[in-house]
Amino acid sequence: EKAKTSGSKSKGGASDTKTTQDIEDLTKMVQQALDRTYDVEKEQVKSEMKYEYDRHINALERKFQKQLTEARRATDFTVENLKKSYQKEINKLKDGQMELQLEIEMRAREIVQKEGHVYLLQEKVRTHEQENRKQIDHAQMLCKMTDLITKFLRRLDGFQGVDKLRDEIDNIALSNQKKGNKYDH
């Protein structure tokens, strides 16, 4: 052993260098192995993070799709209710319009009837006015005749029973004047 040790001592300078070189090589290899392990762990962490990220994104997409579907259902339900409500309103307005149209037609018939009635009443008024004018004219003519007869009889003073006849004629004239005044109103 001494020989080996002494032999290695004489070679010691070269052997130390080789050992140092081996240690440095071994250190480099360990460092490289650690670096690769670190890179692998880093990639593994990166992969796990990517997996978690993708899983989270998928969960968010499912949640979004669910909310979107629910929103569509709610919107469709609301739109359908609005359609029904507006259709009811439209039907009410159509019914109201039909009722108003019937009312207009009924009122138009009533107006035509009333116009006919007014026309008949106007004709009756015209007829009564004409009759009244005729009676007034007749009464005035009778008054004039009475006045003429009275004048004539006054000239005949000497005629028997003239006073009695005058009184009768005056009474007739007065009653005719009263009738004439009655028709003037």
Side-chain angles (χ1 to χ4, degrees):
E1 277 188 33
K2 281 185 177 181
K4 279 185 177 179
T5 310
S6 66
S8 43
K9 275 189 183 179
S10 63
K11 292 183 180 172
S15 154
D16 279 340
T17 316
K18 190 173 181 185
T19 306
T20 308
Q21 184 65 33
D22 287 339
I23 291 176
E24 283 178 11
D25 287 342
L26 188 60
T27 306
K28 280 183 185 178
M29 284 175 37
V30 168
Q31 186 62 41
Q32 286 175 351
L34 285 174
D35 286 344
R36 274 189 242 134
T37 303
Y38 175 74
D39 287 342
V40 167
E41 286 178 0
K42 189 176 169 184
E43 283 299 317
Q44 187 178 8
V45 168
K46 208 175 186 184
S47 292
E48 286 175 6
M49 286 177 66
K50 186 173 185 330
Y51 172 77
E52 283 297 317
Y53 174 78
D54 289 343
R55 197 172 65 102
H56 184 68
I57 290 294
N58 287 336
L60 286 175
E61 284 178 356
R62 281 191 303 272
K63 184 178 177 182
F64 172 75
Q65 287 300 326
K66 183 179 176 182
Q67 288 175 345
L68 185 63
T69 303
E70 288 173 3
R72 281 185 183 149
R73 278 190 210 134
T75 301
D76 290 344
F77 180 76
T78 303
V79 167
E80 191 62 32
N81 283 341
L82 283 173
K83 281 182 184 178
K84 287 177 184 176
S85 175
Y86 285 145
Q87 192 61 43
K88 285 179 185 176
E89 286 295 319
I90 288 170
N91 289 340
K92 284 180 185 177
L93 290 174
K94 284 181 180 178
D95 291 345
Q97 185 180 15
M98 287 174 52
E99 288 174 10
L100 287 175
Q101 189 64 34
L102 291 174
E103 184 74 19
I104 288 170
E105 290 172 5
M106 187 176 74
R107 298 291 182 193
R109 277 185 252 136
E110 286 178 6
I111 288 172
V112 168
Q113 288 175 349
K114 298 286 182 186
E115 286 175 344
H117 186 69
V118 166
Y119 179 75
L120 289 175
L121 289 176
Q122 286 173 340
E123 285 299 314
K124 282 183 181 179
V125 167
R126 279 190 216 112
T127 304
H128 284 301
E129 286 176 349
Q130 288 174 352
E131 186 64 34
N132 284 344
R133 274 191 228 115
K134 284 180 186 177
Q135 288 178 357
I136 290 170
D137 290 344
H138 188 274
Q140 287 174 349
M141 182 185 73
L142 287 176
C143 285
K144 286 179 186 178
M145 286 175 63
T146 305
D147 287 341
L148 287 173
I149 292 172
T150 305
K151 283 181 189 178
F152 174 74
L153 290 176
R154 282 189 186 145
R155 285 187 195 160
L156 294 176
D157 266 337
F159 184 68
Q160 286 181 329
V162 169
D163 291 332
K164 188 177 176 186
L165 190 57
R166 275 187 200 157
D167 289 338
E168 281 184 40
I169 291 172
D170 286 339
N171 286 337
I172 291 171
L174 282 174
S175 73
N176 281 339
Q177 283 179 350
K178 288 180 182 175
K179 285 182 184 178
N181 287 341
K182 177 179 160 188
Y183 293 118
D184 287 340
H185 294 284

